[in-house]
Amino acid sequence: MPIADKLLLTIAEAQALTGLSREFLRDAINKGELKAKVIGKGWRVKRSDLQEYVDKLF
């Protein structure tokens, strides 16, 4: 499924969409600035939460 059609994104997909580094995104998750949840073996971020986080950066 293309990234554009997904509602939940992996950290790698969020990184690809935003151009932000994996470390930057993980730091934001650890600080509670970006909502994310472990589902299965990896972190997932809602597309809407990622958009909200990026909007707050500027």
Side-chain angles (χ1 to χ4, degrees):
M1 175 182 289
I3 293 175
D5 295 338
K6 290 186 169 187
L7 296 176
L8 292 176
L9 305 168
T10 65
I11 298 297
E13 291 168 337
Q15 180 182 357
L17 280 174
T18 63
L20 298 172
S21 72
R22 179 180 186 83
E23 293 77 22
F24 191 89
L25 292 170
R26 290 295 304 245
D27 190 46
I29 292 168
N30 290 334
K31 289 180 180 177
E33 297 170 354
L34 175 59
K35 295 178 190 175
K37 184 173 183 168
V38 175
I39 299 177
K41 294 183 180 181
W43 286 94
R44 298 293 185 267
V45 179
K46 281 176 49 179
R47 178 180 289 278
S48 58
D49 290 337
L50 181 63
Q51 181 67 54
E52 184 179 320
Y53 174 72
V54 170
D55 288 344
K56 288 180 182 179
L57 291 175
F58 296 93

